[in-house]
Amino acid sequence: MRWLDAAEQASSVAMVRLLILAAIVSLACRMMLGRWPWDYLRTPLTRQQAVLNARKLLGVDANATRKDIVEAHRRRIAVVHPDRGGSGEQVHETNAARDLLLNQLPDKN
């Protein structure tokens, strides 16, 4: 095993200091603003992405009818309901997915 020369050792120390500084800044951002720094780099969901996520969550395709969406919602709620080991957050996500998909359907007026 060889020993690091002075330049390599200084470079290693500088890298460790930089990593420690980055960790401290990240934690400070999380504590003060409530979000990690990399969360600010993500683009918000567009409506189209939200619809795709809702379809995936409920397991329906793009041609799903109102009946298909409601049935898929009932099946998912039966699985994620808090009385069956799910969480309230999962129920809210499922309800939001149903509402979004139902609002996307054309009116039959």
Side-chain angles (χ1 to χ4, degrees):
M1 181 174 189
R2 73 178 182 92
W3 292 95
L4 299 175
D5 65 4
E8 290 175 332
Q9 195 172 20
S11 175
S12 296
V13 170
M15 184 60 72
V16 169
R17 287 182 180 165
L18 183 62
L19 289 173
I20 290 172
L21 179 64
I24 290 170
V25 168
S26 295
L27 288 172
C29 180
R30 173 74 175 161
M31 291 175 65
M32 289 188 288
L33 302 175
R35 292 174 65 187
W36 293 106
W38 48 87
D39 288 342
Y40 292 101
L41 300 176
R42 293 184 188 149
T43 57
L45 285 180
T46 64
R47 185 156 180 91
Q48 186 177 23
Q49 289 171 324
V51 169
L52 290 174
N53 289 343
R55 284 189 190 129
K56 189 187 325 183
L57 181 71
L58 293 181
V60 297
D61 62 358
N63 300 331
T65 64
R66 179 178 182 77
K67 181 180 174 186
D68 296 335
I69 294 169
V70 170
E71 287 175 5
H73 173 262
R74 285 186 185 142
R75 284 192 306 269
R76 174 103 173 126
I77 286 293
V79 172
V80 300
H81 195 276
D83 291 344
R84 300 215 174 177
S87 69
E89 182 177 333
Q90 290 173 318
V91 171
H92 291 299
E93 287 176 351
T94 304
N95 288 339
R98 177 205 55 200
D99 295 342
L100 180 64
L101 293 178
L102 290 177
N103 287 337
Q104 291 286 11
L105 292 176
D107 290 334
K108 290 186 176 183
N109 293 337

